[in-house]
Every structure is written in structure tokens, then in C-alpha cells.
Amino acid sequence: MFIHECATRGIEPDRSSVLGLLGYPADTEPADGISDLVDRAFELFHRTAAPRGISTVISVDEFDTIWPGEGMNDPEAVLGPIYPLADRLALSAVTLGQEVSDTITRLFDENDFAFATIFDAVASGGADRLADVMMQAHLERFDPAGEDPPGIGSLLYSPGYCGWHVSGQRALFRRLQPGQIGIELLESCLMRPSKSVSGVIVTGPVEIHRFVPDFGYCANCATKSCRERIASLAV
Ligand code: SF4
């Protein structure tokens, strides 16, 4: 079991990615008033976030008992044929802490919709960056440079995405115990604090991560984020 803490500077999302989450096309700067709100949201992020992560290495055989979850995965779930080919698996969960989520709720309750929406976007970007930093810290346990060898790639796969049913969170939480860093699993299988990310880090030959995203459930996918994730792997 490995618990990791880091400074908020290390997980600050790119401004361009935050603007993208807010619907601004690439290379577009918002009007001055909105730009000031974005600056304030970044300042608030650094005052409220308390990033932490937990991970544990598990065998493919053990993940065989976690993967089926409650029997509701899509038969074409992306991860199903990938994880048995992995060289290494690690369960992982990260969180920005409760103060970030409480602040988002308070801002919406106060009808400060514009700032609340922008701060929510900064926090979402920060949670994704934190998941990346946690994966990097995990890789550094095996290579001081924190890099996979040539031809090897690591990606995080999460319950609730790409055919892995969100109820799979329960089996993942039973094994990983993210309560140790303050993450609680709600009856709905959502996490509290809300700005948390969980999943399994799959390390193996780059080829095992490659697939054509034309599964039935892809029709409802707004982000098509798998394309960027696959492209991020060095050949
Ligand atoms: S298109 Fe969306 S749902 Fe389909 S594999 Fe890619 S990220 Fe997952």
C-alpha cells in the first residue's frame, strides 16, 4: 500500500484545458471579466485543495476477482481483454479533499453560478492532473525516472467508463480501502469528496491499450477521450 501527498502546484491544470472544459475553443481567451474569474478560481484552488492518493499493486489473478464487480459490465467493456495481458496492475484512488467540494457547493448555493462553474472546471482539471501525478509516483517505485521502458505504456482505467460498470467501485474499494485518505463510497457508487478519481493502472505493451472505439456504448460518449489517451502513449 502506497500513500502519496503532493503540493497543489504540482497538479495545477493547464489554463487551456480549463477553458476547454468551459467550452472555449483552443487558443481563445475569454473576455476580461471571465478571465479574472479564471485567475481567482486558480487562486482558490491552491487555497482549498489537499491532494492525496493511494495505490496498491495487485496480480492479474486477484484483479480477476475484482473485475466482474456486480456482474453489470458491458460484454464489450474495453478493459476486459486488456488487463489479462498486463505486466503489472495497481489499484489507485486520488482526491482533492472535501474542502474543494464544499466550496463548489457553497458557491452554487450562493447563486454565484459563473464563478462556481469556473471553479468546478479548475477542480475537475486538477483531479485529472492529480491522477496523472499519482500514476507517475507509482511508476517511480519501479523506475527512478518514472518512465515506462520503450514499448511499454501505463494508463488508468476507471469504473463508470468504457463499459466498466460504476458498481465495480464496490469491489475496488473493498480491496484498496481509499477511506485511509478520506474517500468514501456512497450508495450510488459516486465518491465523496466528489473531486476524486479511482481505477486500475494498467502497465504493459503499448499494443494492448490500442483499440477501435466503435462499441455500442461509445455512441453516448461525448468526450471520446480514449483517442487522446491512446495517442499519449509513446510508440
Ligand atoms: S469513445 Fe468514449 S466510451 Fe468509447 S472507448 Fe472511447 S472514451 Fe470509452
Side-chain angles (χ1 to χ4, degrees):
M1 196 71 73
F2 175 63
I3 292 182
H4 180 72
E5 296 184 21
C6 68
T8 58
R9 285 285 161 208
I11 59 160
E12 183 177 290
D14 293 338
R15 188 182 173 88
S16 59
S17 70
V18 171
L19 293 177
L21 287 173
L22 294 169
Y24 287 90
D27 302 324
T28 305
E29 255 304 308
D32 284 352
I34 298 296
S35 194
D36 289 347
L37 291 180
V38 173
D39 292 342
R40 277 181 49 210
F42 272 100
E43 290 167 14
L44 186 58
F45 175 77
H46 289 295
R47 287 205 305 275
T48 54
R52 303 190 79 192
I54 184 171
S55 68
T56 191
V57 174
I58 64 166
S59 66
V60 169
D61 285 350
E62 193 174 3
F63 194 70
D64 278 339
T65 68
I66 294 172
W67 169 242
E70 301 183 355
M72 289 193 272
N73 293 340
D74 190 287
E76 293 187 306
V78 160
L79 184 57
I82 293 177
Y83 83 80
L85 304 176
D87 296 333
R88 191 171 59 237
L89 301 173
L91 301 182
S92 169
V94 301
T95 184
L96 294 180
Q98 190 58 42
E99 189 175 352
V100 169
S101 300
D102 289 346
T103 301
I104 293 168
T105 301
R106 177 179 58 75
L107 290 168
F108 277 112
D109 286 348
E110 292 172 352
N111 297 329
D112 196 352
F113 293 118
F115 187 52
T117 301
I118 292 169
F119 182 60
D120 185 80
V122 171
S124 292
D128 287 343
R129 284 281 300 130
L130 176 57
D132 290 344
V133 166
M134 184 69 198
M135 186 163 74
Q136 185 75 22
H138 164 71
L139 295 179
E140 284 170 5
R141 296 164 65 198
F142 301 93
D143 180 322
E147 292 178 3
D148 287 315
I152 301 295
S154 296
L155 286 179
L156 177 73
Y157 296 83
S158 297
Y161 294 91
C162 309
W164 187 1
H165 197 270
V166 70
S167 60
Q169 288 274 46
R170 295 198 180 99
L172 188 153
F173 266 64
R174 271 196 299 276
R175 176 63 177 83
L176 182 60
Q177 298 289 320
Q180 295 174 75
I181 58 165
I183 308 178
E184 176 189 357
L185 191 64
L186 304 178
E187 189 61 32
S188 61
C189 288
L190 296 178
M191 292 178 281
R192 182 163 55 203
S194 58
K195 297 304 179 187
S196 301
V197 178
S198 65
V200 59
I201 299 170
V202 178
T203 299
V206 168
E207 294 74 33
I208 70 173
H209 297 289
R210 299 196 193 286
F211 57 85
V212 178
D214 61 357
F215 310 109
Y217 50 80
C218 297
N220 299 321
C221 175
T223 66
K224 308 287 192 249
S225 60
C226 58
R227 294 177 180 155
E228 193 179 331
R229 282 157 46 82
I230 294 171
S232 72
L233 295 171
V235 181

